[in-house]
Amino acid sequence: MARKLPGVDAVIVGLGWTGAILAERLTAAGLKVVAIERGPWRDTATDFPPSYAPDELRYAIRQDLFLRPAQETVTFRNKTSETALPIRSFGSFLPGNGVGGAGTHWNGQTWRFLEKDFVVKSHVTERYGKSAIPEGMTIQDWGVTYADLEKSYDSFEWTAGVSGRAGNIAGTRQQGGNPFEGPRSRDFPLPPLELSHASSLFAKAARELGHSPFPCPAANASRAYTNPLGVTLGPCTYCGFCERFGCGNYSKGSPQTTILPVLMRRPNFEARTNAEVLKVLTDRSGTRATGVTYVDAQGEELEQPAELVLLCAYQFCNVRLMLLSGIGTPYDPAAGTGVVGRNYCYQTGAGAQLFFENTRMNPFIGSGALQQVIDDFNGDNFDHTGLGFIGGGSISCGQTNGRPILYRPTEPGSPRWGSAWKQATVAGYQNAASVGSQGSSYAYRDSYLDLDPTYTDRFGRPLLRMTFDWHDNEHKAAAYATQRCMEIGRAMGAKQVLARNLSEHYSIVPYQSTHTVGGAAMGADPKTSAVKRYLQSWDVPNVFAVGAHAFPQNHGYNPTGTVGALAYWAAEAITSQYLKSPGALVPT
Amino acid sequence: MPHGTLRRRQLLASTSAVLLAGCSVRARTISDTRPWSAGAGEPPIAITPGPWVFFSPEEGATVDALVERLIPHDALSVSGREAGCSVFIDRQLAGAYGSSERLYMRPPFMAGTPMQGMQSALTPAAQYRQGLAALHAYCRVAYVGRLPHEMTAEQRDALLKGLESRQVKLDGADGHGFFELLLTNTMEGFFADPLYGGNQGFAGWKMIGFPGARYDYRDEIAHRNQVIDVATVGITGRPDWTRKGT
Ligand SMILES: Cc1cc2nc3c(=O)[nH]c(=O)nc-3n(C[C@H](O)[C@H](O)[C@H](O)COP(=O)(O)OP(=O)(O)OC[C@H]3O[C@@H](n4cnc5c(N)ncnc54)[C@H](O)[C@@H]3O)c2cc1C
């Protein structure tokens, strides 16, 4: 039996990006909040100071800061007829663990989705007709609009210290920004980052081809910056150790550098680390959560009663906790009914690998979100008539790093060892660049999450099972993006331009992105969504689940700008509506 | 990872071990403060030079002889052996990496599709142990008793090519898999920070022009398409700093 602790107003599962945002907002509203975090306490000075942060082996290869599969993993198969096997070593995506979550070691590319992304199903149907949506595709509208979320996006960007250039302020086009973006209420808090050689060639070539390049919104501070909570970030030094690393310079927007210094000092907040939540407890009716149980590092099981339970444990951990706790109806792919596990999606990747001659790319000078981007082929920013697919992607060229264990591009046909390998490696290091597309990954009836029948974690609980593959629409969209990337690569003057196609089947082996989304969508209809537009569970109204699981499908950008916005959006709904009259929220 | 000392992270790595040992990692309740105490960080621990820790003398001699061909000594750099790649691999295999401590290693182990990734119950340490034993057995027959360190450079290149192309098959071990693991670990050693044993004298970094653990290029970012001439530095500094006066 779990030892029962004194109750609190709210318990938060996970202290990453969303957990930190909600804890800050709810403690500001006067609630007594406890956050329970599976991993250790982590901070800049102790865990990744500049003196030893730049350690590629430790952090990027041995994955020191990430979730270790020994603790929790996912089983995977491409289709229902296969037996899912555990991801024994993380590859395709790298979940976070510990205070800060994946917000500690992300790149900081901080996007807003397009206005039409939020109403993708209605928009596509209206513009191209019902038949444009292929058989088996289950895309849907979000239940919130861009306009609903604008203020929340703004809160996240100003908290995280995002560098960029607005393309649209209150409906007025801004020179040098993204002409396709939805209207912003104001500019970014910081000007854009500097350019690398490759990204300056990209910007020039893209402009010549009639596209509209602009800087990627970056949670890498281009200048020193003090955010609305009074926390100061230092300027990015372009050190080239961003993604997979904690930032020793306090320059990357993360919970540690933007929220925790204030949150940790609030007397009505408490963090419990090395403590893993097992399940959300509900009363006999199953419609009211009474708290959570968790196991601490000593192996003791504890019960934390709470009036409000917030799942902020990252996309797939949230879905798993909902399934393990019986919150919401599990998805049944055969019948097409149920919602928890439904519409699991990812992100397509395609592009062009480029090789130049006698160039000095100096790839080691870079930062996580140093990129030039075009949005001309994203979402429905271009006419899809006759193309045979829907969706699209952002296309970019940047420079995140030249860390040599992983970054050693060589021309095709080069040997992999011996003296000839060395020559190819030396030439490739300074002469290579790439243009890449991150594309939409739309939802399908046969791509979903459920509990694995065979494999368990260290507590004997079933692992989450992922059934996922690319579909024809995504292959076609990615092939189209590859062509656009290659055109730009040629215009950049590359000697060799090689296609990087979407893999035939989705594989969990090579790193692609930690952009796992969906599985407990938000929406307006309880038949097709697990949480309401306020991220509130339809079935258990004192549970809110915040994260990328709420995306009904994925669009052509990184997720965290929208994840952060959803956290502020849910916090606003809780503090301004729910607390006044706890219960099921109705749309206003 | 360093051998010898059992670090907190290694304990944490397999949390089941922690639960059994019931010890040192404490769940913490943190309130009203940001916990910080002097020396709370976990700097990397440099490897100790000296004899093999994981390899037997014979195994070590073979790995030396092979990494010397994977990365040969030429005008571009010293060899993988001279750069310390075999010492790097030895120390890695003796630590958390060698025992797959952080990975999901629960049964059942079943063969899957390539898209499902590694499904073997063998740890890297076991793969080396089996692979080297099988390789030695192969060499005893195919090279009339001569082990790699007794072979010419050409013979070793032929052996490596045979493993790479699956033409050489080993009895009782996956020869191709062993080659791939050896190549991966050799490259890790050649390009990782020298404190882990490889990349001595910044051999790998200097070869390609990677300046190392510099952490600040604000002065250089605007120098696009130009040669950046900055001294190479590792986490523990540079040899000419630490050797001063000795
Ligand atoms: C290498 C890398 C690069 C990335 N780059 C980008 C980028 O450039 N742009 C972008 O938009 N996104 C990027 N991301 C994704 C981004 O980091 C995530 O979208 C974001 O952190 C999600 O926030 P979250 O709060 O949902 O999850 P997290 O920030 O991961 O926090 C979840 C926390 O919950 C904890 N937890 C989980 N289960 C339990 C449990 N049962 N009990 C207690 N605690 C639990 C976890 O340990 C974790 O600390 C990147 C991710 C990675 C790994």
Side-chain angles (χ1 to χ4, degrees):
Chain A
M1 261 305 277
R3 179 159 62 90
K4 199 165 175 171
L5 300 166
V8 294
D9 297 323
V11 64
I12 297 183
V13 184
L15 191 52
W17 255 136
T18 55
I21 291 168
L22 277 144
E24 191 284 314
R25 292 285 73 214
L26 298 193
T27 49
L31 265 58
K32 163 95 184 120
V33 177
V34 168
I36 301 175
E37 166 54 49
R38 178 178 59 195
W41 170 258
R42 284 213 172 101
D43 214 347
T44 311
T46 44
D47 292 85
F48 32 84
S51 52
Y52 57 83
D55 185 340
E56 185 183 13
L57 183 76
R58 174 178 180 174
Y59 295 108
I61 310 295
R62 301 291 179 252
Q63 307 184 348
D64 209 55
L65 297 174
F66 302 123
L67 174 62
R68 294 170 189 184
Q71 186 160 359
E72 180 174 352
T73 189
V74 174
T75 69
F76 166 74
R77 57 182 177 177
N78 280 123
K79 50 180 188 282
T80 310
S81 59
E82 294 174 358
T83 302
L85 296 178
I87 300 180
R88 296 191 180 275
S89 172
F90 283 122
S92 167
F93 50 88
L94 297 167
N97 189 45
V99 170
T104 304
H105 46 66
W106 69 319
N107 256 339
Q109 300 166 16
T110 314
W111 292 99
R112 299 178 174 201
F113 284 161
L114 297 163
E115 288 177 282
K116 285 174 190 134
D117 289 340
F118 291 97
V119 289
V120 62
K121 188 177 181 188
S122 332
H123 172 78
V124 166
T125 314
E126 190 186 313
R127 181 165 179 188
Y128 304 106
K130 251 198 173 116
S131 63
I133 299 175
E135 175 72 31
M137 186 190 271
T138 51
I139 50 170
Q140 60 199 43
D141 295 354
W142 284 59
V144 282
T145 62
Y146 174 87
D148 288 333
L149 288 181
E150 202 286 327
K151 191 167 149 251
S152 307
Y153 271 124
D154 182 84
S155 298
F156 185 62
E157 289 158 358
W158 283 71
T159 302
V162 177
S163 308
R165 176 162 290 142
N168 180 341
I169 297 179
T172 308
R173 280 276 303 275
Q174 307 291 313
Q175 198 60 33
N178 180 5
F180 298 99
E181 70 181 12
R184 296 169 179 273
S185 46
R186 52 178 168 168
D187 206 343
F188 288 97
L190 288 168
L193 295 167
E194 302 285 335
L195 296 188
S196 66
H197 183 48
S199 56
S200 68
L201 292 177
F202 171 90
K204 187 164 165 284
R207 220 170 279 122
E208 281 163 12
L209 290 168
H211 311 322
S212 305
F214 62 93
C216 175
N220 312 141
S222 60
R223 309 269 189 282
Y225 171 70
T226 302
N227 77 9
L229 290 171
V231 186
T232 299
L233 290 104
C236 174
T237 64
Y238 304 94
C239 77
F241 287 88
C242 205
E243 171 171 60
R244 302 184 182 211
F245 298 80
C247 178
N249 287 325
Y250 300 84
S251 314
K252 176 162 67 180
S254 69
Q256 283 89 345
T257 54
T258 63
I259 295 175
L260 295 176
V262 169
L263 176 65
M264 295 310 297
R265 289 192 169 82
R266 293 212 175 128
N268 51 341
F269 179 71
E270 201 176 292
R272 303 210 185 111
T273 57
N274 291 318
E276 182 168 341
V277 171
L278 298 178
K279 74 188 283 201
V280 180
L281 301 169
T282 45
D283 69 5
R284 234 175 254 139
S285 73
T287 58
R288 202 189 129 67
T290 56
V292 300
T293 52
Y294 69 97
V295 176
D296 71 8
Q298 283 70 38
E300 190 186 2
E301 194 173 325
L302 297 136
E303 178 180 337
Q304 177 59 64
E307 296 298 317
L308 198 54
V309 176
L310 306 171
L311 298 179
C312 297
Y314 183 74
Q315 178 265 340
F316 72 75
C317 305
N318 288 335
V319 174
R320 181 170 177 238
L321 282 168
M322 290 174 82
L323 289 170
L324 290 171
S325 312
I327 295 178
T329 312
Y331 176 61
D332 175 350
T337 56
V339 287
V340 185
R342 184 174 176 274
N343 279 23
Y344 172 74
C345 303
Y346 192 48
Q347 184 111 66
T348 63
Q353 175 71 51
L354 315 179
F355 289 97
F356 293 79
E357 269 173 323
N358 302 320
T359 303
R360 305 294 300 188
M361 292 295 179
N362 297 321
F364 44 86
I365 305 179
S367 74
L370 188 167
Q371 291 188 336
Q372 283 282 311
V373 188
I374 59 163
D375 245 356
D376 301 67
F377 304 103
N378 201 354
D380 199 41
N381 293 343
F382 57 113
D383 186 1
H384 288 69
T385 309
L387 292 178
F389 67 87
I390 52 173
S394 50
I395 291 177
S396 65
C397 174
Q399 198 147 294
T400 62
N401 80 92
R403 299 184 302 264
I405 301 179
L406 288 182
Y407 186 79
R408 277 180 284 115
T410 54
E411 293 195 24
S414 303
R416 297 160 68 215
W417 51 280
S419 283
W421 160 78
K422 286 191 188 180
Q423 287 155 20
T425 302
V426 171
Y429 195 67
Q430 283 293 356
N431 288 309
S434 66
V435 176
S437 162
Q438 299 203 86
S440 51
S441 167
Y442 285 166
Y444 294 88
R445 185 167 164 164
D446 62 2
S447 294
Y448 61 98
L449 306 171
D450 63 357
L451 293 174
D452 192 272
T454 308
Y455 292 96
T456 56
D457 69 6
R458 62 208 168 101
F459 303 116
R461 298 178 306 162
L463 296 180
L464 193 72
R465 174 169 69 178
M466 177 186 290
T467 305
F468 182 79
D469 207 349
W470 307 124
H471 288 69
D472 197 39
N473 182 72
E474 280 55 49
H475 277 293
K476 284 186 186 148
Y480 183 81
T482 299
Q483 291 310 318
R484 305 289 80 74
C485 293
M486 291 177 76
E487 281 162 13
I488 299 170
R490 280 184 216 109
M492 286 166 71
K495 172 187 73 158
Q496 281 208 64
V497 178
L498 305 152
R500 259 195 4 231
N501 292 310
L502 184 65
S503 59
E504 188 186 347
H505 294 287
Y506 169 65
S507 164
I508 57 94
V509 181
Y511 185 74
Q512 290 148 74
S513 73
T514 308
H515 304 168
T516 61
V517 310
M522 61 195 294
D525 179 357
K527 285 204 193 64
T528 54
S529 61
V531 292
K532 296 185 183 183
R533 71 195 297 261
Y534 302 111
L535 291 306
Q536 181 183 41
S537 160
W538 284 101
D539 306 86
V540 188
N542 65 335
V543 172
F544 286 72
V546 186
H549 61 268
F551 295 12
Q553 59 273 322
N554 206 4
H555 303 283
Y557 304 109
N558 315 58
T560 311
T562 302
V563 168
L566 290 179
Y568 280 102
W569 168 253
E572 177 67 21
I574 293 169
T575 53
S576 69
Q577 295 183 58
Y578 181 87
L579 291 178
K580 288 188 185 125
S581 130
L585 294 173
V586 278
T588 50
Chain B
M1 284 299 119
H3 62 288
T5 46
L6 190 60
R7 296 170 52 211
R8 186 169 69 93
R9 282 264 160 75
Q10 290 176 355
L11 264 176
L12 250 180
S14 142
T15 318
S16 52
V18 174
L19 291 177
L20 288 177
C23 56
S24 88
V25 186
R26 300 202 70 84
R28 301 169 78 186
T29 298
I30 307 161
S31 184
D32 225 348
T33 176
R34 290 171 86 188
W36 192 86
S37 54
E42 285 189 83
I45 301 168
I47 63 124
T48 331
W52 302 118
V53 176
F54 175 80
F55 293 135
S56 70
E58 194 177 69
E59 288 172 336
T62 294
V63 174
D64 266 343
L66 296 180
V67 303
E68 190 167 38
R69 295 313 302 160
L70 291 175
I71 304 179
H73 185 124
D74 60 18
L76 287 174
S77 80
V78 297
S79 73
R81 178 186 182 169
E82 292 165 290
C85 291
S86 18
V87 176
F88 167 88
I89 296 172
D90 178 71
R91 303 304 197 266
Q92 289 291 307
L93 293 175
Y97 168 73
S99 59
S100 295
E101 187 180 285
R102 299 177 176 182
L103 307 187
Y104 185 84
M105 296 301 277
R106 284 168 193 274
F109 287 90
M110 290 187 269
T113 66
M115 281 67 74
Q116 290 175 306
M118 190 275 289
Q119 292 297 333
S120 165
L122 288 182
T123 64
Q127 274 176 279
Y128 271 86
R129 203 95 302 147
Q130 288 186 5
L132 287 167
L135 187 67
H136 289 164
Y138 173 84
C139 293
R140 287 201 178 92
V141 177
Y143 292 88
V144 285
R146 247 182 275 157
L147 295 186
H149 73 277
E150 298 158 324
M151 294 181 191
T152 64
E154 292 71 29
Q155 286 175 318
R156 280 178 277 157
D157 287 355
L159 179 64
L160 287 165
K161 277 193 192 119
L163 291 168
E164 183 180 25
S165 63
R166 299 174 201 266
Q167 255 142 27
V168 167
K169 295 218 159 42
L170 304 182
D171 229 1
D174 169 9
H176 176 73
F178 173 72
F179 171 86
E180 292 296 327
L181 186 64
L182 178 69
L183 182 63
T184 299
N185 294 151
T186 303
M187 294 302 169
E188 286 171 0
F190 198 58
F191 293 109
D193 194 278
L195 71 86
Y196 295 107
N199 191 18
Q200 292 307 301
F202 307 124
W205 290 354
K206 284 189 167 158
M207 181 179 99
I208 55 170
F210 176 64
R214 294 205 62 96
Y215 225 60
D216 191 349
Y217 294 110
R218 278 172 294 179
D219 290 342
E220 286 82 20
I221 177 78
H223 301 178
R224 299 206 287 258
N225 201 20
Q226 289 173 33
V227 173
I228 304 293
D229 192 13
V230 293
T232 311
V233 53
I235 289 173
T236 55
R238 283 210 307 267
D240 55 322
W241 299 350
T242 45
R243 277 192 209 122
K244 210 170 252 172
T246 60

